[in-house]
Amino acid sequence: MAQVINEQDIINAICLSQAYYKNIRPEDVLVELTYDEDTGFGAEVEVNGQIEIFNTAAMIGALRVWIKDVLHLDPFSTGIALVLDDEEGIIARLS
């Protein structure tokens, strides 16, 4: 069975990656995950009052940081699939 990253940890991954790139604390980042049938997965990320829209690729990049630093796995040999789950919301399945 593939490992699953839940919705809260996807949000945490985005916060962590933004903290690294912008030299801020992860708790200074606000994230709202989104899904649209036409554009797919995304996130609205707010840092210091500035809003940035993440697409699926940016979310995967943030998850690679999480996979490396929190799960201690190779972030580039791990497959990542974002999934809209009826019960759990937006999750990531790792393979």
Side-chain angles (χ1 to χ4, degrees), residues 11-31 45-48 52 54 62 65 69:
I11 292 169
N12 293 343
I14 293 170
C15 292
L16 182 65
S17 71
Q18 287 296 285
Y20 285 157
Y21 295 128
K22 297 188 177 189
N23 199 28
I24 58 173
R25 299 177 315 160
E27 51 269 17
D28 292 335
V29 182
L30 299 173
V31 176
V45 181
E46 183 178 342
V47 177
N48 297 326
E52 185 176 347
F54 275 36
V65 172
D69 291 349

